[in-house]
Amino acid sequence: MVEKERTEGERTASNRDVVIVGGGASGLSAAVFLARYGLDTLVFDGGTAAIRQCVHLENYLGFPGGIPPETFLAMSREQAELAGAEITDGMVVAAEKTDDGFRVTTQDGREIEPNRLVAASVYDDEYLSDFETELESVERDGKTPVSGLYVTGWLGEAEHQAIVSAGDGARTALALVRDVRREDEELWDEAAEHYYDWTVEEGRYSGTNWEWLDDLIAEHAPESATPEDKKRMKERLKREYTSLEMDDTERVKRAERGRNLVRKHMEEIEP
C-alpha cells in the first residue's frame, strides 16, 4: 500500500488497485479473484449485507445442511484474506472520479484513491449519486460507461440469491482483470482476453510441446507483430500457464488447510 500525506488535517489518502464497496457474497467473491490475480484489493464492509436477512442459508452449493449467514460471511472473508485482499470495517459515503481513477471517502474521514472501483453494496449506495445516470447502462459483466467503475450483485442484473451474487462477483472481477490486461503493453487484446483462474496438476501445461500456443499466437497476433514480439508473447503466456500448476505436496497442504478452516468455523456454530 502506498500512502501520501495530505496537506490539510491528519488524514492520508491511500492508493490501491481496486476498492470494493460491500462485504457480501458478490463483493467477497470479486475480492478473491482480484487478489488472486495480484491486484492490491481493499474491501469496505461497513454497510448492511442483504444475506443477513436470511436465518439459514440452504441453497448454496457445497453446504448440504445449510449454513448460518454469519458463518458463511466469516468463511468468505477469510478466503478473500487468504487470497491477499484486505478487508476493513467502514461505511463509504462518497465516491468521485479523478484523473487517475477514483476518490472514495468513508464515514470516519478516510480517503482512498483506487484505480478502479467495484460497487457491491445492495443497500447503502448513496455514495454512487455522482454516477446515477451512467448506472442506468450497466453491461452484463458489470462494466459501466464510467471507465474503471464496475457494479456487481443486485446493483447489476444478478438475481437476489447468494450463490448467483457470488458468481456475478466472479464474472465482474474477471472483466476487470481483462481490462487491466488490455492496458499491459506486453499483451495484445486477444492475449489479454485469454485469461482464467484455476489450478491444474503438475505438468499439465509445462509437459506439453506448446504447439497449441504457437497456433493461438499465430491466429491472434496483430499484423504488426514481429517474430521477436511473438517469441516474447509466447514466453509470457508460458509463464502464466505454468504458474497454474500445483504439485501434490502443495495440493495436500492446501486441502488440509481448507479442511481445518471449515472445521473451525463449523465448530463455532451455535445450535
Side-chain angles (χ1 to χ4, degrees):
M1 177 177 66
V2 178
E3 294 190 349
K4 57 185 179 182
E5 294 294 331
R6 290 179 58 89
T7 56
E8 53 182 282
E10 295 183 354
R11 294 181 298 172
T12 61
S14 300
N15 294 330
R16 297 284 185 145
D17 291 330
V18 186
V19 159
I20 299 174
V21 182
S26 66
L28 293 174
S29 178
V32 168
F33 278 81
L34 295 175
R36 281 174 58 83
Y37 187 70
L39 296 175
D40 184 8
T41 303
L42 174 64
V43 180
F44 279 105
D45 183 14
T48 303
I51 195 174
R52 289 191 171 98
Q53 298 182 53
C54 175
V55 68
H56 197 67
L57 181 60
E58 294 189 311
N59 55 6
Y60 203 101
L61 191 66
F63 298 102
I67 184 172
E70 289 297 340
T71 303
F72 171 79
L73 289 173
M75 293 174 66
S76 300
R77 284 172 64 111
E78 189 156 19
Q79 184 172 356
E81 289 172 334
L82 283 171
E86 180 182 347
I87 303 174
T88 184
D89 294 333
M91 175 77 73
V92 172
V93 295
E96 59 182 308
K97 195 78 173 70
T98 65
D99 291 341
D100 299 324
F102 298 87
R103 181 176 296 109
V104 174
T105 306
T106 64
Q107 195 170 48
D108 58 3
R110 284 176 287 172
E111 286 190 355
I112 314 295
E113 295 183 356
N115 297 326
R116 290 173 170 82
L117 177 63
V118 178
S121 51
V122 175
Y123 311 114
D124 312 308
D125 60 353
E126 292 84 358
Y127 66 95
L128 294 172
S129 59
D130 283 358
F131 312 107
E132 187 173 348
T133 300
E134 290 85 349
L135 291 180
E136 295 177 359
S137 303
V138 177
E139 297 180 22
R140 189 68 185 93
D141 58 5
K143 296 173 66 172
T144 75
V146 180
S147 177
L149 176 62
Y150 306 77
V151 300
T152 185
W154 206 11
L155 277 176
E157 298 182 3
E159 295 288 341
H160 196 39
Q161 297 288 322
I163 195 166
V164 178
S165 292
D168 198 60
R171 175 166 50 191
T172 297
L174 290 175
L176 191 157
V177 166
R178 291 188 177 103
D179 285 345
V180 170
R181 289 169 64 81
R182 291 188 190 98
E183 295 178 2
D184 189 331
E185 295 181 354
E186 291 187 354
L187 295 170
W188 53 71
D189 284 350
E190 288 77 6
E193 288 284 343
H194 203 67
Y195 170 78
Y196 44 87
D197 181 356
W198 71 329
T199 57
V200 296
E201 64 183 355
E202 190 175 21
R204 170 66 175 82
Y205 293 118
S206 59
T208 68
N209 57 18
W210 298 106
E211 286 183 358
W212 60 274
L213 193 52
D214 291 325
D215 294 339
L216 180 72
I217 292 173
E219 179 181 357
H220 295 294
E223 294 182 1
S224 60
T226 66
E228 185 61 31
D229 291 333
K230 295 177 182 179
K231 180 180 179 181
R232 185 168 55 250
M233 177 61 62
K234 181 177 180 179
E235 292 305 311
R236 164 68 182 267
L237 294 179
K238 282 173 65 176
R239 290 195 301 271
E240 289 192 353
Y241 278 103
T242 53
S243 70
L244 302 174
E245 296 183 353
M246 184 183 300
D247 61 34
D248 282 343
T249 300
E250 181 65 16
R251 178 186 59 78
V252 170
K253 182 178 74 173
R254 295 190 189 188
E256 181 62 21
R257 181 184 66 183
R259 283 193 293 270
N260 290 337
L261 290 175
V262 170
R263 187 180 302 114
K264 179 192 74 172
H265 286 287
M266 292 299 104
E267 290 174 350
E268 291 174 354
I269 297 177
E270 296 182 1

